[in-house]
Each structure stands twice: as C-alpha cells, then as structure tokens.
Amino acid sequence: QPNCEVSFFYHSFGDNVGKLEFQIMGQHFNRFADKILDGHSNDAWIAGSVNVGVVNIARVVFRGTIGSAYDGDIAIDDVAFHNCGLKYLCNTTTETSCETEPKCINKTNICDFQPQCKDGTDEANCGTCDFEGPGTCGWSTNHPGVWKKMAGAQDYYGPGYDHSLGTGEGHYMIAESNWWHYADDNHTVEEISTPVFATTGKRCRIRFYYAADLGVNGTMTVTVKNDAGSFVS
C-alpha cells in the first residue's frame, strides 16, 4: 500500500561499527530504500523508520556491515509494519499460512487437533461442525449434490428442524432417497467424509446426531479410512 512503513529500533556502538542498510528485495528487483547509519552512534537504542510504498511479492532485509575488531556492534529490535496490508508468503510445497497472523505452519500440522494458529484456521475445516456457518467445515462427498446442506424449513422430505438450534432455520447435512435419479431403483453408496487427519490419540472419538428414514434395505455406517482410501475400521 502507498503508506506502508516499517518502524524499528537499532543500536550501534564502538569504534569498529560499519553500516546498517535497509533493503527491499523483490522477484525482479532489489532496492536499497535507506542507509540507516554509517559508523557508530551513541550507546542507546534509536528509533528508525522507512517508507516502503507499494511493492509486489517482496521481502525486507536489514543489511549490516560489521568491523573486524570486537569493539563494535549493530542490533535491531521491535520491528513493526504499518499500513502495509501484508499477506505472509510461505513455502507452498510444505507450508500454509494462518489467516489473520503472519505465521507459516507445516501442512502436517493441519487437522491435528492442536491449533498452531492463534485464530484457529489450521483446525477450522477439520470436521467439527454444526453446519450453521458458510461451507461444510471440510466435509466432502463422493457424489457432489447428493449430500446437501439444508435447513429444516427448506427440506420437504427430511427433518423439519436441526439438532443444533432445534428450529426450521437450523442446518444439517442430508442424503435424500435417490429414486428420482435411478430408473432401475438400484441402491447406491453416498459418502460424506472429513479431510485427512494427522495422528490422533487413543481416546479420540467422534460424536454426532442423526435422523434417518432408511426405507427398504437402507443402511448408515461410520468407517475410518487412511489417506489412501483403504478401510482401517
């Protein structure tokens, strides 16, 4: 953004202090925005700031040049970004970013039931759901459109109210009878499944509420599969 600014405090003291520079490195450019100091300053923390302006896919670098002797130091602290609208960039092969904080986490930490993001986004679409918000919390189906999120007041054939709110405005997932889809009246297996979980503890349990009018030869089962789709239990 045009008013993007980086603020910080720096400390340099001694006869062998070199220089401290602030650099912006982009995909196709390197830009030295400011020379912060050249040589030593007083034995104190000094406030500094640099206007970054508008850049696309870049990183900020503090570049320190130190002397050859022991009597000299350069230090920085309390770095902060202001009015930048930053989106944190992660290694997309192995990492993902938290939604509202500048933090990258390993993809193996997603759905491990231990939030690594303060906002909980790494555990937000892992199956725990009352189906009242947008989306379906990571649940997916083998035949899209058969399992549907519905409100009781919308569904003529299903329950007239949900369990969470107990009203016709409450939502649930429903797989309705498929007689209008198949002329030969064959029964089909309609699955709805969670995303792949990380390793769980021995006492891990799933709790749910269901309502069913299974008709002739209809069944409902709960199974556990590994990430290759093979049955575990």
Side-chain angles (χ1 to χ4, degrees):
Q1 297 184 13
N3 297 320
C4 178
E5 182 182 75
V6 181
S7 66
F8 51 90
F9 287 83
Y10 66 92
H11 182 285
S12 66
F13 187 69
D15 293 333
N16 282 279
V17 172
K19 58 185 177 180
L20 179 65
E21 296 169 302
F22 181 95
Q23 185 180 16
I24 300 172
M25 300 181 66
Q27 284 186 313
H28 305 294
F29 69 92
N30 291 340
R31 186 180 101 205
F32 281 97
D34 238 331
K35 182 181 291 185
I36 299 168
L37 68 92
D38 192 352
H40 73 87
S41 60
N42 295 326
D43 186 9
W45 286 99
I46 301 172
S49 64
V50 175
N51 182 270
V52 175
V54 179
V55 293
N56 183 37
I57 309 181
R59 59 178 174 167
V60 162
V61 177
F62 285 95
R63 186 184 183 99
T65 302
I66 56 177
S68 58
Y70 69 90
D71 55 341
D73 66 72
I74 299 175
I76 60 172
D77 198 4
D78 292 327
V79 180
F81 292 82
H82 310 276
N83 305 312
C84 294
L86 293 175
K87 180 175 176 59
Y88 213 63
L89 299 179
C90 303
N91 182 337
T92 56
T93 302
T94 59
E95 297 177 321
T96 187
S97 62
C98 300
E99 188 170 312
T100 61
E101 61 176 310
K103 181 180 180 181
C104 295
I105 64 169
N106 195 290
K107 289 182 177 180
T108 59
N109 293 131
I110 299 174
C111 296
D112 65 353
F113 303 100
Q114 299 181 32
Q116 276 77 37
C117 298
K118 292 180 180 179
D119 58 16
T121 50
D122 56 318
E123 304 296 321
N125 292 299
C126 299
T128 298
C129 201
D130 61 8
F131 303 109
E132 298 306 328
T136 57
C137 308
W139 290 84
S140 59
T141 64
N142 61 330
H143 294 139
V146 178
W147 277 97
K148 297 176 290 186
K149 186 168 81 169
M150 300 285 289
Q154 297 174 322
D155 193 358
Y156 181 79
Y157 295 100
Y161 58 92
D162 76 326
H163 180 269
S164 304
L165 304 180
T167 69
E169 286 70 42
H171 292 79
Y172 49 77
M173 296 297 294
I174 184 170
E176 294 180 332
S177 175
N178 62 1
W179 62 268
W180 63 89
H181 291 297
Y182 302 95
D184 59 3
D185 199 27
N186 288 331
H187 293 279
T188 60
V189 176
E190 308 297 347
E191 295 183 348
I192 182 169
S193 60
T194 67
V196 175
F197 294 147
T199 303
T200 58
K202 293 182 179 180
R203 299 178 64 184
C204 178
R205 297 173 62 87
I206 178 172
R207 185 183 69 182
F208 55 93
Y209 294 86
Y210 67 93
D213 181 5
L214 298 175
V216 179
N217 297 326
T219 61
M220 184 173 72
T221 59
V222 179
T223 59
V224 179
K225 295 181 179 181
N226 60 26
D227 57 357
S230 300
F231 286 99
V232 177
S233 62

